[in-house]
Amino acid sequence: MSRPISRPISRPTLVLGLAALALSLVTLVGLPTPLQVVAATAVLILLPGQALVRLTSVTDPALRGLLVLALGLATLTAVSTAMFYLAVWSWQACVVTMGVITIGACMARARQEVVS
């Protein structure tokens, strides 16, 4: 019996997941203020939005760019609201949660890539 041939995971998926991991850790450790703002924005909005958009079949670049921001902000809002109501909100927990969501979306995308 031969195993089905599967495609390797794409470089953008791998880079996105590793960037989420690295920037989450760097944000928690601390950086100079201007770099902290850039890293936090990436981890909290841009990376999760990009990872979630890659799970869709949208191909229009303008719509994808809009969806990155919309999905990133919507996810951040949902996570922050849930943490607030559960009385566990902290910026560190929010960074970690958004990093985990990004990595989870990258894993789902990798599964799509391997299967197709």
Side-chain angles (χ1 to χ4, degrees):
M1 268 202 183
S2 65
R3 295 178 57 197
I5 297 173
S6 61
R7 294 181 2 191
I9 298 169
S10 71
R11 182 168 293 187
T13 300
L14 187 59
V15 167
L16 192 60
L18 291 175
L21 179 64
L23 285 176
S24 295
L25 293 174
V26 167
T27 302
L28 293 174
V29 170
L31 292 169
T33 303
L35 294 176
Q36 184 80 8
V37 170
V38 172
T41 301
V43 170
L44 295 174
I45 299 170
L46 299 177
L47 293 177
Q50 179 65 24
L52 292 170
V53 166
R54 295 195 69 215
L55 293 172
T56 69
S57 60
V58 175
T59 57
D60 180 50
L63 183 55
R64 284 181 71 90
L66 183 62
L67 280 174
V68 166
L69 292 175
L71 288 174
L73 288 170
T75 305
L76 178 59
T77 301
V79 166
S80 295
T81 303
M83 287 181 163
F84 178 76
Y85 280 114
L86 295 171
V88 295
W89 191 92
S90 72
W91 70 268
Q92 296 95 340
C94 201
V95 165
V96 168
T97 303
M98 294 301 283
V100 167
I101 288 170
T102 303
I103 292 168
C106 286
M107 290 172 63
R109 176 64 184 171
R111 186 172 297 133
Q112 286 177 349
E113 292 169 357
V114 167
V115 170
S116 63

